[in-house]
Amino acid sequence: MNRENNLPGLPIARRSTTFFAAWHPMALRRNWPGSAICIVIALAATFVSTAYGGPQLLYALFFGLAFHFLAQDAVCLPGIQFCSQTLLRTGVALLGARVTFEQMASLGSKSLIIVLLAVGSTIAVGCAVASFLGRGRTEGLLSGGAVAICGASAALAISAVLPKTKENDQFTLLAVVGVTTLSTLAMIIYPLIVHFLELDHTSAGVFIGGTIHDVAQVVGAGYLISNHTGEVATLVKLFRVACLVPIVIVVSYSYRNSIDAQEPVGTPLIPFFLIGFVLMMAANSVHWIPHLASEWINDASRFCLVMAIAALGVKTSFQSLASLGWKPILMLVSETVWIAGLVLLAIRFAM
C-alpha cells in the first residue's frame, strides 16, 4: 500500500496532495517532520539574505540542495511534498493581495497594451526557442512565463499546473536560479540603459517595470532612477503579476487531461489557488484588507514561496541540475533579451 496516497479519514483519501485534503489535521501531523526541515531552511535563507544581502529564494534553493539525502526519507518525504505543492499554491494565492484593479486602470491604455504584447510574445518566443533547441513545450511555457510575468513566483505558479514529473521539477529549479540571476543583473544594467537612451521618467518606469523579472529588483532599479520612475515601474510590474491569472488558466486547461500528470484526470479548469489569487486581488481592490494586514499577507506569501523553493531544492540534486545542460540557460537569456528589446521599441514608437 502506498502510504503517501492513503490517509484514513480524509475527504479525498487517495490524493494526499489535493489542496484541501493537505490541510486536514491528520495530514498536517504526518507532514510535520518534512515541513519542519523546510521551515528551518527558509529561516536560514531569510537570515542570510537579511544579514548579508542577496536573493532569499536562491539561498533557500542552495540550502535545500544540501539536504537532498532527506528526499528518500519516508518520514520527511510527505512534508517535503506538502511544501513543494500545497504551500507553493498557497503562496501564489496570497500574491493577489499586492494588486488592485485601480492600480491597473491608472497605467493608461498604451502602457497596458505594451505590457500585454510583451507578456504574450515572450511566452511565444519561449515556446519557439524551446522547440528550436529540442526541449519540451512545458519548458518553453515555464521559462517564457517566468521571464514575461514575475520571475521565480511565476515559474512556481506555472509549474504547479504542469505535469508533476521529475524533469519538470528540475527545470523549475533551474528557471528560478536563472531568472533570479538575470533579474539581479538587470537591476544593475537597465538603469544604465535608461541613462544612455535618455528616457524620461515615465518611459523609464514602463521599461523597468515591463522587463525586469522579479518585483524586488523592479522596485530597486526604479527608485534608483527617481521616485516617479519607481512608482510607475511598480505599477507596471503589478500588472504583469496580474497577468499570471489568465496565463495559468490557459496552461492548466492545456494540461488538465495530460496522461503524464500525477493529478487526477479532469482537474478543475481554474485551480483553487488561482481563485484565491483573484479573491485576494478583489478584496484588496475594495479596501477590505487593511494596510498592516496586507503587509503580513505579503510576508506570508513570500515565506510560503521560500519554503516551497527549499522543498524543491531538497527533492533535487546538483547532478540532476547539471544534467539539464546549457540549453535552458540560452532559453532564459533569449527571452530576457526579447522582452527588453520589444519594450524599448514600443516605448520609442508608441509613447
Side-chain angles (χ1 to χ4, degrees):
M1 180 180 294
N2 187 347
R3 290 180 58 211
E4 182 179 352
N5 290 332
N6 289 275
L7 289 176
L10 288 185
I12 307 177
R14 68 188 182 90
R15 292 296 306 173
S16 65
T17 55
T18 299
F19 186 85
F20 293 113
W23 291 103
H24 190 279
M26 292 183 63
L28 291 176
R29 190 186 316 151
R30 180 169 175 252
N31 293 335
W32 171 244
S35 299
I37 295 295
C38 296
I39 290 173
V40 171
I41 295 173
L43 289 174
T46 302
F47 170 76
V48 174
S49 177
T50 303
Y52 302 103
Q56 182 185 26
L57 289 174
L58 274 186
Y59 290 139
L61 167 60
F62 291 137
F63 292 166
L65 287 168
F67 288 88
H68 175 62
F69 63 92
L70 292 176
Q72 306 304 319
D73 187 276
V75 175
C76 294
L77 182 58
I80 293 169
Q81 296 281 31
F82 169 76
C83 291
S84 67
Q85 297 178 21
T86 304
L87 274 191
L88 163 59
R89 297 170 183 183
T90 302
V92 173
L94 295 177
L95 279 175
R98 293 185 179 187
V99 192
T100 67
F101 297 117
E102 183 181 0
Q103 289 172 336
M104 303 302 99
S106 68
L107 288 175
S109 58
K110 289 184 179 180
S111 297
L112 295 179
I113 291 172
I114 290 174
V115 172
L116 289 173
L117 178 62
V119 169
S121 65
T122 301
I123 295 174
V125 166
C127 293
V129 173
S131 176
F132 177 77
L133 294 176
R135 309 295 297 190
R137 186 178 66 156
T138 57
E139 295 185 3
L141 287 171
L142 199 150
S143 63
V147 170
I149 303 171
C150 53
S153 299
L156 293 171
I158 293 172
S159 72
V161 295
L162 288 175
K164 297 298 177 187
T165 65
K166 182 178 180 181
E167 292 75 17
N168 283 346
D169 282 348
Q170 292 170 357
F171 187 84
T172 299
L173 284 181
L174 190 62
V176 168
V177 173
V179 294
T180 304
T181 303
L182 290 171
S183 190
T184 302
L185 291 174
M187 181 178 65
I188 300 169
I189 296 172
Y190 286 9
L192 299 177
I193 294 176
V194 167
H195 178 73
F196 177 76
L197 296 177
E198 298 181 346
L199 298 179
D200 61 68
H201 292 306
T202 299
S203 297
V206 174
F207 172 63
I208 296 294
T211 56
I212 296 181
H213 313 325
D214 289 320
V215 175
Q217 282 86 339
V218 166
V219 173
Y223 281 99
L224 185 64
I225 298 171
S226 71
N227 287 339
H228 178 72
T229 298
E231 292 170 0
V232 173
T234 301
L235 288 178
V236 171
K237 181 61 183 178
L238 290 177
F239 180 66
R240 287 171 67 194
V241 173
C243 291
L244 188 64
V245 175
I247 296 300
V248 174
I249 289 176
V250 171
V251 175
S252 175
Y253 179 79
S254 300
Y255 288 95
R256 64 192 302 222
N257 292 323
S258 171
I259 60 174
D260 297 323
Q262 292 180 1
E263 298 292 336
V265 174
T267 51
L269 171 58
I270 304 178
F272 288 120
F273 73 90
L274 215 57
I275 296 174
F277 182 101
V278 174
L279 291 176
M280 293 297 294
M281 182 176 173
N284 198 30
S285 298
V286 296
H287 308 293
W288 285 357
I289 304 177
H291 178 70
L292 183 59
S294 179
E295 292 181 356
W296 291 343
I297 292 171
N298 287 334
D299 290 341
S301 170
R302 183 71 175 181
F303 197 73
C304 285
L305 294 179
V306 173
M307 287 183 62
I309 280 289
L312 287 172
V314 172
K315 292 167 62 177
T316 307
S317 66
F318 282 109
Q319 183 179 4
S320 62
L321 279 180
S323 69
L324 292 174
W326 56 269
K327 291 181 180 179
I329 304 299
L330 180 59
M331 290 166 57
L332 291 168
V333 172
S334 301
E335 292 151 4
T336 299
V337 171
W338 169 267
I339 193 170
L342 179 66
V343 172
L344 274 178
L345 285 175
I347 289 172
R348 282 295 191 184
F349 291 102
M351 296 187 68

